[in-house]
Amino acid sequence: DAKTTQPNSMESNEEEPVHLPCNHSTISGTDYIHWYRQLPSQGPEYVIHGLTSNVNNRMASLAIAEDRKSSTLILHRATLRDAAVYYCILSRRIQGAQKLVFGQGTRLTINP
Amino acid sequence: NAGVTQTPKFRILKIGQSMTLQCTQDMNHNYMYWYRQDPGMGLKLIYYSVGAGITDKGEVPNGYNVSRSTTEDFPLRLELAAPSQTSVYFCASNTLTGTSGNTIYFGEGSWLTVV
């Protein structure tokens, strides 16, 4: 399974933008790039996903490099509730099922 | 909205005991998954199912069994519990149809300690 590389931790201030990087140099053409986040003592929560083009939703934006070997999750205006572990995941469908391979993620701290 | 429901939330087992973690979803999802998460680590896939009656191994299946007799339920069985199975277990589900076809929904987790 293709792996992703993320910084162990990042810190930002409330109401400022946050850019969370992810490297996935072994990505294959059919792999989707997914981001999930996990708040303490909770299950992971879907944030955003993309294949080739940049994506926006109500939670975040996903910027994907042209060669697809890296991507960046952008939180436009961080709040204290955004403090979580963020996982960048390459998703491949097996028999239709989405097999997510989680790394250790980036622990994001938001300062008031 | 119930979503994915797991029971029990907390359990302490003695070495060698067996138990079943229950998982049910009310979203009519075809695909269901069991993950485990050790402290400070990401989740690892134990088993998954693409529909009723069909299951397959994930990354770390040893020591576990699953069944999928209905679309809604996907129980995870631990036989002969070992300390290495102390972990947090997450059940998840998704569908390929609709606007949320790429979203996997996770339960709140089951904390299991084997002593």
PDB file of all heavy atoms in Angstrom, chain A residues 34 36 38 41 43-44 46 49 87 93-98 100 102-104, chain B residues 31 33 35 37 40-43 48 50 56 90 96 102-104 106-107 111:
ATOM      1  N   HIS A  34      -7.265  11.302   0.596  1.00  0.00           N
ATOM      2  CA  HIS A  34      -8.294  11.596   1.594  1.00  0.00           C
ATOM      3  C   HIS A  34      -7.657  12.259   2.801  1.00  0.00           C
ATOM      4  O   HIS A  34      -6.516  11.941   3.175  1.00  0.00           O
ATOM      5  CB  HIS A  34      -8.964  10.305   2.072  1.00  0.00           C
ATOM      6  CG  HIS A  34      -9.922   9.707   1.109  1.00  0.00           C
ATOM      7  ND1 HIS A  34     -11.269   9.570   1.381  1.00  0.00           N
ATOM      8  CD2 HIS A  34      -9.752   9.210  -0.128  1.00  0.00           C
ATOM      9  CE1 HIS A  34     -11.867   9.020   0.353  1.00  0.00           C
ATOM     10  NE2 HIS A  34     -10.972   8.780  -0.579  1.00  0.00           N
ATOM     11  N   TYR A  36      -8.702  12.828   6.872  1.00  0.00           N
ATOM     12  CA  TYR A  36      -9.598  12.628   8.003  1.00  0.00           C
ATOM     13  C   TYR A  36      -8.970  13.300   9.216  1.00  0.00           C
ATOM     14  O   TYR A  36      -7.745  13.471   9.268  1.00  0.00           O
ATOM     15  CB  TYR A  36      -9.801  11.128   8.305  1.00  0.00           C
ATOM     16  CG  TYR A  36     -10.786  10.460   7.396  1.00  0.00           C
ATOM     17  CD1 TYR A  36     -10.446  10.150   6.078  1.00  0.00           C
ATOM     18  CD2 TYR A  36     -12.065  10.140   7.838  1.00  0.00           C
ATOM     19  CE1 TYR A  36     -11.373   9.542   5.239  1.00  0.00           C
ATOM     20  CE2 TYR A  36     -12.987   9.531   6.998  1.00  0.00           C
ATOM     21  CZ  TYR A  36     -12.628   9.248   5.700  1.00  0.00           C
ATOM     22  OH  TYR A  36     -13.544   8.646   4.869  1.00  0.00           O
ATOM     23  N   GLN A  38      -9.125  13.392  13.681  1.00  0.00           N
ATOM     24  CA  GLN A  38      -9.584  12.664  14.854  1.00  0.00           C
ATOM     25  C   GLN A  38      -9.431  13.537  16.086  1.00  0.00           C
ATOM     26  O   GLN A  38      -8.306  13.889  16.459  1.00  0.00           O
ATOM     27  CB  GLN A  38      -8.806  11.349  15.025  1.00  0.00           C
ATOM     28  CG  GLN A  38      -9.349  10.456  16.110  1.00  0.00           C
ATOM     29  CD  GLN A  38      -8.643   9.114  16.173  1.00  0.00           C
ATOM     30  OE1 GLN A  38      -7.505   8.973  15.734  1.00  0.00           O
ATOM     31  NE2 GLN A  38      -9.318   8.113  16.718  1.00  0.00           N
ATOM     32  N   SER A  41     -10.488  10.997  21.853  1.00  0.00           N
ATOM     33  CA  SER A  41     -11.489  10.012  22.277  1.00  0.00           C
ATOM     34  C   SER A  41     -12.674   9.907  21.319  1.00  0.00           C
ATOM     35  O   SER A  41     -13.789   9.545  21.725  1.00  0.00           O
ATOM     36  CB  SER A  41     -12.004  10.333  23.689  1.00  0.00           C
ATOM     37  OG  SER A  41     -10.940  10.340  24.605  1.00  0.00           O
ATOM     38  N   GLY A  43     -13.925   8.824  17.032  1.00  0.00           N
ATOM     39  CA  GLY A  43     -13.546   8.180  15.794  1.00  0.00           C
ATOM     40  C   GLY A  43     -13.139   9.214  14.757  1.00  0.00           C
ATOM     41  O   GLY A  43     -13.486  10.389  14.863  1.00  0.00           O
ATOM     42  N   PRO A  44     -12.374   8.787  13.739  1.00  0.00           N
ATOM     43  CA  PRO A  44     -11.991   9.727  12.678  1.00  0.00           C
ATOM     44  C   PRO A  44     -13.209  10.323  11.988  1.00  0.00           C
ATOM     45  O   PRO A  44     -14.249   9.683  11.872  1.00  0.00           O
ATOM     46  CB  PRO A  44     -11.169   8.850  11.720  1.00  0.00           C
ATOM     47  CG  PRO A  44     -10.675   7.735  12.567  1.00  0.00           C
ATOM     48  CD  PRO A  44     -11.772   7.475  13.548  1.00  0.00           C
ATOM     49  N   TYR A  46     -14.407  12.473   8.440  1.00  0.00           N
ATOM     50  CA  TYR A  46     -14.037  12.861   7.076  1.00  0.00           C
ATOM     51  C   TYR A  46     -13.880  14.370   6.974  1.00  0.00           C
ATOM     52  O   TYR A  46     -14.682  15.138   7.503  1.00  0.00           O
ATOM     53  CB  TYR A  46     -15.128  12.380   6.119  1.00  0.00           C
ATOM     54  CG  TYR A  46     -15.014  12.907   4.707  1.00  0.00           C
ATOM     55  CD1 TYR A  46     -14.160  12.306   3.792  1.00  0.00           C
ATOM     56  CD2 TYR A  46     -15.778  13.993   4.288  1.00  0.00           C
ATOM     57  CE1 TYR A  46     -14.072  12.768   2.495  1.00  0.00           C
ATOM     58  CE2 TYR A  46     -15.690  14.468   2.996  1.00  0.00           C
ATOM     59  CZ  TYR A  46     -14.832  13.851   2.094  1.00  0.00           C
ATOM     60  OH  TYR A  46     -14.741  14.318   0.815  1.00  0.00           O
ATOM     61  N   HIS A  49     -11.594  15.052   0.220  1.00  0.00           N
ATOM     62  CA  HIS A  49     -10.823  14.135  -0.606  1.00  0.00           C
ATOM     63  C   HIS A  49     -10.729  14.693  -2.025  1.00  0.00           C
ATOM     64  O   HIS A  49     -11.534  15.550  -2.422  1.00  0.00           O
ATOM     65  CB  HIS A  49     -11.442  12.739  -0.633  1.00  0.00           C
ATOM     66  CG  HIS A  49     -12.616  12.611  -1.551  1.00  0.00           C
ATOM     67  ND1 HIS A  49     -13.880  13.010  -1.191  1.00  0.00           N
ATOM     68  CD2 HIS A  49     -12.710  12.135  -2.826  1.00  0.00           C
ATOM     69  CE1 HIS A  49     -14.705  12.785  -2.194  1.00  0.00           C
ATOM     70  NE2 HIS A  49     -14.033  12.259  -3.195  1.00  0.00           N
ATOM     71  N   TYR A  87      -5.079  13.145   9.431  1.00  0.00           N
ATOM     72  CA  TYR A  87      -4.499  12.038   8.677  1.00  0.00           C
ATOM     73  C   TYR A  87      -4.650  12.270   7.174  1.00  0.00           C
ATOM     74  O   TYR A  87      -5.762  12.514   6.690  1.00  0.00           O
ATOM     75  CB  TYR A  87      -5.174  10.717   9.025  1.00  0.00           C
ATOM     76  CG  TYR A  87      -4.974  10.253  10.437  1.00  0.00           C
ATOM     77  CD1 TYR A  87      -5.951  10.459  11.407  1.00  0.00           C
ATOM     78  CD2 TYR A  87      -3.809   9.587  10.806  1.00  0.00           C
ATOM     79  CE1 TYR A  87      -5.772  10.022  12.706  1.00  0.00           C
ATOM     80  CE2 TYR A  87      -3.624   9.141  12.105  1.00  0.00           C
ATOM     81  CZ  TYR A  87      -4.598   9.364  13.040  1.00  0.00           C
ATOM     82  OH  TYR A  87      -4.422   8.919  14.328  1.00  0.00           O
ATOM     83  N   ARG A  93      -9.586   1.361  -3.967  1.00  0.00           N
ATOM     84  CA  ARG A  93     -10.782   0.510  -3.886  1.00  0.00           C
ATOM     85  C   ARG A  93     -10.427  -0.945  -4.189  1.00  0.00           C
ATOM     86  O   ARG A  93      -9.802  -1.245  -5.196  1.00  0.00           O
ATOM     87  CB  ARG A  93     -11.842   0.988  -4.857  1.00  0.00           C
ATOM     88  CG  ARG A  93     -12.454   2.315  -4.451  1.00  0.00           C
ATOM     89  CD  ARG A  93     -13.950   2.310  -4.650  1.00  0.00           C
ATOM     90  NE  ARG A  93     -14.527   3.494  -4.025  1.00  0.00           N
ATOM     91  CZ  ARG A  93     -15.065   4.474  -4.713  1.00  0.00           C
ATOM     92  NH1 ARG A  93     -15.093   4.413  -6.024  1.00  0.00           N
ATOM     93  NH2 ARG A  93     -15.573   5.507  -4.081  1.00  0.00           N
ATOM     94  N   ILE A  94     -10.812  -1.812  -3.266  1.00  0.00           N
ATOM     95  CA  ILE A  94     -10.649  -3.249  -3.458  1.00  0.00           C
ATOM     96  C   ILE A  94     -12.044  -3.864  -3.402  1.00  0.00           C
ATOM     97  O   ILE A  94     -12.716  -3.804  -2.387  1.00  0.00           O
ATOM     98  CB  ILE A  94      -9.779  -3.889  -2.348  1.00  0.00           C
ATOM     99  CG1 ILE A  94      -8.453  -3.146  -2.201  1.00  0.00           C
ATOM    100  CG2 ILE A  94      -9.572  -5.362  -2.632  1.00  0.00           C
ATOM    101  CD1 ILE A  94      -7.520  -3.300  -3.382  1.00  0.00           C
ATOM    102  N   GLN A  95     -12.496  -4.456  -4.507  1.00  0.00           N
ATOM    103  CA  GLN A  95     -13.861  -5.002  -4.624  1.00  0.00           C
ATOM    104  C   GLN A  95     -14.884  -3.919  -4.276  1.00  0.00           C
ATOM    105  O   GLN A  95     -15.957  -4.223  -3.758  1.00  0.00           O
ATOM    106  CB  GLN A  95     -14.055  -6.186  -3.665  1.00  0.00           C
ATOM    107  CG  GLN A  95     -13.170  -7.370  -3.927  1.00  0.00           C
ATOM    108  CD  GLN A  95     -13.426  -8.463  -2.905  1.00  0.00           C
ATOM    109  OE1 GLN A  95     -12.858  -8.440  -1.820  1.00  0.00           O
ATOM    110  NE2 GLN A  95     -14.287  -9.403  -3.242  1.00  0.00           N
ATOM    111  N   GLY A  96     -14.560  -2.671  -4.532  1.00  0.00           N
ATOM    112  CA  GLY A  96     -15.452  -1.570  -4.206  1.00  0.00           C
ATOM    113  C   GLY A  96     -15.241  -1.002  -2.825  1.00  0.00           C
ATOM    114  O   GLY A  96     -15.615   0.142  -2.552  1.00  0.00           O
ATOM    115  N   ALA A  97     -14.666  -1.770  -1.905  1.00  0.00           N
ATOM    116  CA  ALA A  97     -14.425  -1.274  -0.550  1.00  0.00           C
ATOM    117  C   ALA A  97     -13.248  -0.309  -0.570  1.00  0.00           C
ATOM    118  O   ALA A  97     -12.317  -0.470  -1.341  1.00  0.00           O
ATOM    119  CB  ALA A  97     -14.138  -2.430   0.397  1.00  0.00           C
ATOM    120  N   GLN A  98     -13.315   0.701   0.292  1.00  0.00           N
ATOM    121  CA  GLN A  98     -12.229   1.678   0.395  1.00  0.00           C
ATOM    122  C   GLN A  98     -11.290   1.270   1.519  1.00  0.00           C
ATOM    123  O   GLN A  98     -11.650   1.337   2.680  1.00  0.00           O
ATOM    124  CB  GLN A  98     -12.799   3.056   0.705  1.00  0.00           C
ATOM    125  CG  GLN A  98     -13.443   3.706  -0.461  1.00  0.00           C
ATOM    126  CD  GLN A  98     -13.164   5.177  -0.496  1.00  0.00           C
ATOM    127  OE1 GLN A  98     -12.078   5.596  -0.128  1.00  0.00           O
ATOM    128  NE2 GLN A  98     -14.117   5.970  -0.926  1.00  0.00           N
ATOM    129  N   LEU A 100      -8.441   2.214   3.677  1.00  0.00           N
ATOM    130  CA  LEU A 100      -7.656   3.363   4.098  1.00  0.00           C
ATOM    131  C   LEU A 100      -6.444   2.876   4.881  1.00  0.00           C
ATOM    132  O   LEU A 100      -6.573   2.079   5.797  1.00  0.00           O
ATOM    133  CB  LEU A 100      -8.494   4.283   4.989  1.00  0.00           C
ATOM    134  CG  LEU A 100      -9.809   4.794   4.419  1.00  0.00           C
ATOM    135  CD1 LEU A 100     -10.486   5.707   5.427  1.00  0.00           C
ATOM    136  CD2 LEU A 100      -9.578   5.517   3.107  1.00  0.00           C
ATOM    137  N   PHE A 102      -3.789   4.263   7.313  1.00  0.00           N
ATOM    138  CA  PHE A 102      -3.493   5.426   8.136  1.00  0.00           C
ATOM    139  C   PHE A 102      -2.020   5.446   8.517  1.00  0.00           C
ATOM    140  O   PHE A 102      -1.456   4.422   8.885  1.00  0.00           O
ATOM    141  CB  PHE A 102      -4.313   5.384   9.430  1.00  0.00           C
ATOM    142  CG  PHE A 102      -5.762   5.698   9.278  1.00  0.00           C
ATOM    143  CD1 PHE A 102      -6.643   4.760   8.761  1.00  0.00           C
ATOM    144  CD2 PHE A 102      -6.258   6.933   9.660  1.00  0.00           C
ATOM    145  CE1 PHE A 102      -7.991   5.045   8.631  1.00  0.00           C
ATOM    146  CE2 PHE A 102      -7.609   7.221   9.541  1.00  0.00           C
ATOM    147  CZ  PHE A 102      -8.475   6.282   9.022  1.00  0.00           C
ATOM    148  N   GLY A 103      -1.413   6.638   8.440  1.00  0.00           N
ATOM    149  CA  GLY A 103      -0.095   6.850   9.038  1.00  0.00           C
ATOM    150  C   GLY A 103      -0.294   7.363  10.450  1.00  0.00           C
ATOM    151  O   GLY A 103      -1.357   7.156  11.042  1.00  0.00           O
ATOM    152  N   GLN A 104       0.726   8.047  10.975  1.00  0.00           N
ATOM    153  CA  GLN A 104       0.620   8.561  12.348  1.00  0.00           C
ATOM    154  C   GLN A 104      -0.048   9.922  12.401  1.00  0.00           C
ATOM    155  O   GLN A 104      -0.437  10.373  13.463  1.00  0.00           O
ATOM    156  CB  GLN A 104       1.992   8.616  12.999  1.00  0.00           C
ATOM    157  CG  GLN A 104       2.540   7.228  13.315  1.00  0.00           C
ATOM    158  CD  GLN A 104       3.834   7.291  14.097  1.00  0.00           C
ATOM    159  OE1 GLN A 104       4.910   7.306  13.523  1.00  0.00           O
ATOM    160  NE2 GLN A 104       3.733   7.327  15.408  1.00  0.00           N
TER     161      GLN A 104
ATOM    162  N   TYR B  31     -20.649  -1.381   2.577  1.00  0.00           N
ATOM    163  CA  TYR B  31     -19.286  -1.656   3.027  1.00  0.00           C
ATOM    164  C   TYR B  31     -19.138  -1.355   4.506  1.00  0.00           C
ATOM    165  O   TYR B  31     -19.541  -0.295   4.980  1.00  0.00           O
ATOM    166  CB  TYR B  31     -18.292  -0.814   2.211  1.00  0.00           C
ATOM    167  CG  TYR B  31     -18.445  -1.041   0.734  1.00  0.00           C
ATOM    168  CD1 TYR B  31     -19.208  -0.178  -0.045  1.00  0.00           C
ATOM    169  CD2 TYR B  31     -17.859  -2.141   0.123  1.00  0.00           C
ATOM    170  CE1 TYR B  31     -19.365  -0.403  -1.395  1.00  0.00           C
ATOM    171  CE2 TYR B  31     -18.017  -2.370  -1.224  1.00  0.00           C
ATOM    172  CZ  TYR B  31     -18.773  -1.500  -1.982  1.00  0.00           C
ATOM    173  OH  TYR B  31     -18.944  -1.732  -3.313  1.00  0.00           O
ATOM    174  N   TYR B  33     -16.283  -1.968   8.012  1.00  0.00           N
ATOM    175  CA  TYR B  33     -14.870  -2.164   8.333  1.00  0.00           C
ATOM    176  C   TYR B  33     -14.681  -2.226   9.850  1.00  0.00           C
ATOM    177  O   TYR B  33     -15.433  -1.606  10.599  1.00  0.00           O
ATOM    178  CB  TYR B  33     -14.033  -0.994   7.806  1.00  0.00           C
ATOM    179  CG  TYR B  33     -14.318  -0.570   6.384  1.00  0.00           C
ATOM    180  CD1 TYR B  33     -15.394   0.255   6.082  1.00  0.00           C
ATOM    181  CD2 TYR B  33     -13.492  -0.986   5.338  1.00  0.00           C
ATOM    182  CE1 TYR B  33     -15.650   0.649   4.779  1.00  0.00           C
ATOM    183  CE2 TYR B  33     -13.745  -0.591   4.034  1.00  0.00           C
ATOM    184  CZ  TYR B  33     -14.822   0.228   3.762  1.00  0.00           C
ATOM    185  OH  TYR B  33     -15.068   0.611   2.472  1.00  0.00           O
ATOM    186  N   TYR B  35     -11.409  -1.448  12.415  1.00  0.00           N
ATOM    187  CA  TYR B  35     -10.043  -0.966  12.585  1.00  0.00           C
ATOM    188  C   TYR B  35      -9.670  -1.069  14.060  1.00  0.00           C
ATOM    189  O   TYR B  35     -10.528  -1.023  14.927  1.00  0.00           O
ATOM    190  CB  TYR B  35      -9.912   0.501  12.176  1.00  0.00           C
ATOM    191  CG  TYR B  35      -9.931   0.772  10.699  1.00  0.00           C
ATOM    192  CD1 TYR B  35     -11.133   0.950  10.020  1.00  0.00           C
ATOM    193  CD2 TYR B  35      -8.746   0.882   9.982  1.00  0.00           C
ATOM    194  CE1 TYR B  35     -11.153   1.233   8.665  1.00  0.00           C
ATOM    195  CE2 TYR B  35      -8.753   1.167   8.624  1.00  0.00           C
ATOM    196  CZ  TYR B  35      -9.960   1.337   7.973  1.00  0.00           C
ATOM    197  OH  TYR B  35      -9.962   1.603   6.634  1.00  0.00           O
ATOM    198  N   GLN B  37      -6.753   0.795  16.871  1.00  0.00           N
ATOM    199  CA  GLN B  37      -5.832   1.904  17.011  1.00  0.00           C
ATOM    200  C   GLN B  37      -5.081   1.759  18.322  1.00  0.00           C
ATOM    201  O   GLN B  37      -5.675   1.838  19.398  1.00  0.00           O
ATOM    202  CB  GLN B  37      -6.563   3.253  16.977  1.00  0.00           C
ATOM    203  CG  GLN B  37      -5.625   4.445  17.021  1.00  0.00           C
ATOM    204  CD  GLN B  37      -6.337   5.768  16.862  1.00  0.00           C
ATOM    205  OE1 GLN B  37      -7.481   5.916  17.278  1.00  0.00           O
ATOM    206  NE2 GLN B  37      -5.678   6.742  16.245  1.00  0.00           N
ATOM    207  N   GLY B  40      -1.128   6.394  20.251  1.00  0.00           N
ATOM    208  CA  GLY B  40      -0.219   7.238  19.474  1.00  0.00           C
ATOM    209  C   GLY B  40      -0.043   6.822  18.034  1.00  0.00           C
ATOM    210  O   GLY B  40       0.818   7.370  17.329  1.00  0.00           O
ATOM    211  N   MET B  41      -0.824   5.874  17.580  1.00  0.00           N
ATOM    212  CA  MET B  41      -0.659   5.345  16.217  1.00  0.00           C
ATOM    213  C   MET B  41      -1.906   5.621  15.385  1.00  0.00           C
ATOM    214  O   MET B  41      -2.966   5.967  15.900  1.00  0.00           O
ATOM    215  CB  MET B  41      -0.407   3.827  16.278  1.00  0.00           C
ATOM    216  CG  MET B  41       0.744   3.428  17.164  1.00  0.00           C
ATOM    217  SD  MET B  41       2.333   4.030  16.574  1.00  0.00           S
ATOM    218  CE  MET B  41       2.565   2.966  15.154  1.00  0.00           C
ATOM    219  N   GLY B  42      -1.748   5.417  14.081  1.00  0.00           N
ATOM    220  CA  GLY B  42      -2.909   5.496  13.206  1.00  0.00           C
ATOM    221  C   GLY B  42      -3.704   4.202  13.265  1.00  0.00           C
ATOM    222  O   GLY B  42      -3.324   3.233  13.910  1.00  0.00           O
ATOM    223  N   LEU B  43      -4.833   4.175  12.577  1.00  0.00           N
ATOM    224  CA  LEU B  43      -5.701   2.997  12.582  1.00  0.00           C
ATOM    225  C   LEU B  43      -5.177   1.929  11.627  1.00  0.00           C
ATOM    226  O   LEU B  43      -4.599   2.247  10.584  1.00  0.00           O
ATOM    227  CB  LEU B  43      -7.115   3.384  12.156  1.00  0.00           C
ATOM    228  CG  LEU B  43      -8.006   4.092  13.180  1.00  0.00           C
ATOM    229  CD1 LEU B  43      -7.524   5.491  13.496  1.00  0.00           C
ATOM    230  CD2 LEU B  43      -9.443   4.122  12.708  1.00  0.00           C
ATOM    231  N   TYR B  48     -12.833  -6.393   6.664  1.00  0.00           N
ATOM    232  CA  TYR B  48     -13.834  -5.571   6.017  1.00  0.00           C
ATOM    233  C   TYR B  48     -14.854  -6.464   5.320  1.00  0.00           C
ATOM    234  O   TYR B  48     -14.638  -7.670   5.146  1.00  0.00           O
ATOM    235  CB  TYR B  48     -13.194  -4.579   5.035  1.00  0.00           C
ATOM    236  CG  TYR B  48     -12.540  -5.182   3.822  1.00  0.00           C
ATOM    237  CD1 TYR B  48     -13.203  -5.242   2.596  1.00  0.00           C
ATOM    238  CD2 TYR B  48     -11.237  -5.678   3.884  1.00  0.00           C
ATOM    239  CE1 TYR B  48     -12.600  -5.780   1.476  1.00  0.00           C
ATOM    240  CE2 TYR B  48     -10.629  -6.210   2.772  1.00  0.00           C
ATOM    241  CZ  TYR B  48     -11.296  -6.257   1.567  1.00  0.00           C
ATOM    242  OH  TYR B  48     -10.697  -6.798   0.457  1.00  0.00           O
ATOM    243  N   VAL B  50     -17.849  -6.348   2.006  1.00  0.00           N
ATOM    244  CA  VAL B  50     -18.411  -5.609   0.871  1.00  0.00           C
ATOM    245  C   VAL B  50     -19.907  -5.830   0.737  1.00  0.00           C
ATOM    246  O   VAL B  50     -20.543  -5.288  -0.176  1.00  0.00           O
ATOM    247  CB  VAL B  50     -17.694  -5.955  -0.452  1.00  0.00           C
ATOM    248  CG1 VAL B  50     -16.210  -5.650  -0.337  1.00  0.00           C
ATOM    249  CG2 VAL B  50     -17.918  -7.409  -0.830  1.00  0.00           C
ATOM    250  N   ASP B  56     -13.573 -10.135   4.268  1.00  0.00           N
ATOM    251  CA  ASP B  56     -12.191 -10.384   3.839  1.00  0.00           C
ATOM    252  C   ASP B  56     -11.240  -9.781   4.856  1.00  0.00           C
ATOM    253  O   ASP B  56     -11.602  -8.871   5.619  1.00  0.00           O
ATOM    254  CB  ASP B  56     -11.929  -9.787   2.455  1.00  0.00           C
ATOM    255  CG  ASP B  56     -10.832 -10.556   1.719  1.00  0.00           C
ATOM    256  OD1 ASP B  56     -10.101 -11.346   2.372  1.00  0.00           O
ATOM    257  OD2 ASP B  56     -10.701 -10.382   0.505  1.00  0.00           O
ATOM    258  N   PHE B  90     -12.485   0.550  16.198  1.00  0.00           N
ATOM    259  CA  PHE B  90     -13.442   1.401  15.493  1.00  0.00           C
ATOM    260  C   PHE B  90     -14.113   0.601  14.382  1.00  0.00           C
ATOM    261  O   PHE B  90     -13.440  -0.035  13.574  1.00  0.00           O
ATOM    262  CB  PHE B  90     -12.751   2.614  14.877  1.00  0.00           C
ATOM    263  CG  PHE B  90     -12.259   3.615  15.888  1.00  0.00           C
ATOM    264  CD1 PHE B  90     -10.931   3.611  16.285  1.00  0.00           C
ATOM    265  CD2 PHE B  90     -13.128   4.536  16.449  1.00  0.00           C
ATOM    266  CE1 PHE B  90     -10.472   4.530  17.222  1.00  0.00           C
ATOM    267  CE2 PHE B  90     -12.677   5.452  17.380  1.00  0.00           C
ATOM    268  CZ  PHE B  90     -11.344   5.444  17.765  1.00  0.00           C
ATOM    269  N   LEU B  96     -21.025   3.466  -2.023  1.00  0.00           N
ATOM    270  CA  LEU B  96     -20.416   4.065  -3.211  1.00  0.00           C
ATOM    271  C   LEU B  96     -21.358   5.016  -3.919  1.00  0.00           C
ATOM    272  O   LEU B  96     -20.972   5.708  -4.835  1.00  0.00           O
ATOM    273  CB  LEU B  96     -19.988   2.977  -4.196  1.00  0.00           C
ATOM    274  CG  LEU B  96     -18.816   2.112  -3.771  1.00  0.00           C
ATOM    275  CD1 LEU B  96     -18.482   1.122  -4.881  1.00  0.00           C
ATOM    276  CD2 LEU B  96     -17.605   2.967  -3.445  1.00  0.00           C
ATOM    277  N   ASN B 102     -17.682   8.732  -1.165  1.00  0.00           N
ATOM    278  CA  ASN B 102     -16.294   8.537  -0.766  1.00  0.00           C
ATOM    279  C   ASN B 102     -16.070   8.764   0.719  1.00  0.00           C
ATOM    280  O   ASN B 102     -14.944   8.733   1.178  1.00  0.00           O
ATOM    281  CB  ASN B 102     -15.396   9.491  -1.559  1.00  0.00           C
ATOM    282  CG  ASN B 102     -15.076   8.923  -2.924  1.00  0.00           C
ATOM    283  OD1 ASN B 102     -14.368   7.935  -3.029  1.00  0.00           O
ATOM    284  ND2 ASN B 102     -15.622   9.519  -3.959  1.00  0.00           N
ATOM    285  N   THR B 103     -17.107   8.991   1.465  1.00  0.00           N
ATOM    286  CA  THR B 103     -16.972   9.284   2.883  1.00  0.00           C
ATOM    287  C   THR B 103     -17.149   8.022   3.699  1.00  0.00           C
ATOM    288  O   THR B 103     -18.138   7.309   3.531  1.00  0.00           O
ATOM    289  CB  THR B 103     -18.025  10.306   3.330  1.00  0.00           C
ATOM    290  OG1 THR B 103     -17.883  11.479   2.539  1.00  0.00           O
ATOM    291  CG2 THR B 103     -17.873  10.647   4.795  1.00  0.00           C
ATOM    292  N   ILE B 104     -16.203   7.738   4.558  1.00  0.00           N
ATOM    293  CA  ILE B 104     -16.334   6.616   5.488  1.00  0.00           C
ATOM    294  C   ILE B 104     -16.758   7.178   6.846  1.00  0.00           C
ATOM    295  O   ILE B 104     -16.166   8.133   7.338  1.00  0.00           O
ATOM    296  CB  ILE B 104     -15.018   5.833   5.597  1.00  0.00           C
ATOM    297  CG1 ILE B 104     -14.718   5.170   4.249  1.00  0.00           C
ATOM    298  CG2 ILE B 104     -15.104   4.791   6.706  1.00  0.00           C
ATOM    299  CD1 ILE B 104     -13.507   4.282   4.237  1.00  0.00           C
ATOM    300  N   PHE B 106     -17.293   6.651  10.819  1.00  0.00           N
ATOM    301  CA  PHE B 106     -16.747   5.863  11.912  1.00  0.00           C
ATOM    302  C   PHE B 106     -17.642   5.921  13.145  1.00  0.00           C
ATOM    303  O   PHE B 106     -18.299   6.936  13.399  1.00  0.00           O
ATOM    304  CB  PHE B 106     -15.353   6.378  12.307  1.00  0.00           C
ATOM    305  CG  PHE B 106     -14.276   6.018  11.328  1.00  0.00           C
ATOM    306  CD1 PHE B 106     -14.059   6.788  10.200  1.00  0.00           C
ATOM    307  CD2 PHE B 106     -13.480   4.899  11.540  1.00  0.00           C
ATOM    308  CE1 PHE B 106     -13.063   6.457   9.286  1.00  0.00           C
ATOM    309  CE2 PHE B 106     -12.484   4.560  10.639  1.00  0.00           C
ATOM    310  CZ  PHE B 106     -12.276   5.342   9.517  1.00  0.00           C
ATOM    311  N   GLY B 107     -17.638   4.810  13.899  1.00  0.00           N
ATOM    312  CA  GLY B 107     -18.269   4.807  15.198  1.00  0.00           C
ATOM    313  C   GLY B 107     -17.394   5.519  16.211  1.00  0.00           C
ATOM    314  O   GLY B 107     -16.305   5.983  15.893  1.00  0.00           O
ATOM    315  N   TRP B 111     -13.165   0.777  23.760  1.00  0.00           N
ATOM    316  CA  TRP B 111     -11.871   0.670  24.442  1.00  0.00           C
ATOM    317  C   TRP B 111     -11.787  -0.694  25.110  1.00  0.00           C
ATOM    318  O   TRP B 111     -12.589  -1.005  25.995  1.00  0.00           O
ATOM    319  CB  TRP B 111     -11.756   1.772  25.498  1.00  0.00           C
ATOM    320  CG  TRP B 111     -11.209   3.063  24.991  1.00  0.00           C
ATOM    321  CD1 TRP B 111      -9.978   3.577  25.215  1.00  0.00           C
ATOM    322  CD2 TRP B 111     -11.902   4.020  24.173  1.00  0.00           C
ATOM    323  NE1 TRP B 111      -9.848   4.793  24.596  1.00  0.00           N
ATOM    324  CE2 TRP B 111     -11.002   5.095  23.945  1.00  0.00           C
ATOM    325  CE3 TRP B 111     -13.168   4.077  23.603  1.00  0.00           C
ATOM    326  CZ2 TRP B 111     -11.333   6.202  23.183  1.00  0.00           C
ATOM    327  CZ3 TRP B 111     -13.495   5.181  22.842  1.00  0.00           C
ATOM    328  CH2 TRP B 111     -12.587   6.221  22.634  1.00  0.00           C
TER     329      TRP B 111
END
